[in-house]
């Protein structure tokens, strides 16, 4: 029994450390109208896109380290609500790895409004 606990401890510590890696957290107040969109972005988009206001660092920072899954850096790139909704419905604007309909309905609208509000601000 003691061996199992000793084995489980490093696994738990590694999981917690990796989960926090590169994450600064959501920098919006919970009563901000875009807070729910920020949470949804963090949960569904942060692995492939960068946006400082949620502590997301998923885009490549150097062309030499770029991977197929790296999406646009929203600190640098402005977006409209309509373009974000299009990308969510269609899996981005190219034949990249973004899944179609990753978010739909109200959730897609919340993320689109959040990204349009915060993208391109160099956060």
């Amino acid at each position: 029994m003691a061996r199992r606990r000793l084995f489980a401890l490093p696994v738990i510590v590694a999981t917690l450390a990796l989960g926090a890696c590169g994450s600064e957290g959501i920098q919006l107040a919970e009563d901000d109208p875009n807070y729910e969109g920020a949470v949804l972005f963090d949960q569904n988009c942060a692995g492939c896109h960068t946006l400082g206001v949620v502590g997301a660092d998923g885009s490549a920072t150097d062309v030499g380290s770029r991977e197929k899954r790296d999406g646009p850096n929203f600190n640098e790139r402005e977006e409209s609500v309509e373009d974000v909704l299009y990308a969510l419905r269609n899996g981005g604007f190219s034949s990249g790895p973004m899944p179609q309909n990753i978010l739909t309905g109200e959730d897609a609208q919340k993320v689109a409004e959040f990204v349009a509000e915060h993208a391109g601000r160099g956060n």
Side-chain angles (χ1 to χ4, degrees), residues 64-116:
S65 67
R66 187 160 171 76
E67 297 176 1
K68 183 175 167 103
R69 70 167 185 84
D70 293 332
N73 180 337
F74 292 127
N75 286 338
E76 300 170 358
R77 178 173 160 170
E78 290 184 30
E79 293 292 343
S80 69
V81 171
E82 294 78 19
D83 284 348
V84 175
L85 287 171
Y86 178 91
L88 290 170
R89 275 188 227 107
N90 296 289
F93 287 94
S94 64
S95 60
M98 184 171 161
Q100 293 179 337
N101 297 313
I102 190 167
L103 292 165
T104 59
E106 288 182 30
D107 288 348
Q109 186 68 36
K110 289 174 185 176
V111 168
E113 290 173 6
F114 161 72
V115 171

Side-chain angles (χ1 to χ4, degrees), residues 2 11 14 23 31-32 34 37 40 46-47 49 55 64-65 69 71 80-81 83 85 89 105 117-118 120:
V11 172
S23 175
D31 62 351
D32 187 294
N34 287 308
L40 290 164
H49 296 280
S65 67
R69 70 167 185 84
S80 69
V81 171
D83 284 348
L85 287 171
R89 275 188 227 107
E117 177 69 25
H118 293 280

Side-chain angles (χ1 to χ4, degrees), residues 26-59:
I26 297 171
Q27 299 169 15
L28 296 178
E30 289 187 29
D31 62 351
D32 187 294
N34 287 308
Y35 184 79
E36 286 183 55
V39 170
L40 290 164
F41 181 94
D42 187 47
Q43 293 170 344
N44 296 280
C45 312
C48 299
H49 296 280
T50 296
L51 188 54
V53 72
V54 294
D57 193 22
S59 305

Side-chain angles (χ1 to χ4, degrees), residues 8-21:
L9 183 60
V11 172
I12 292 169
V13 170
T15 301
L16 291 173
L18 287 174
C21 193

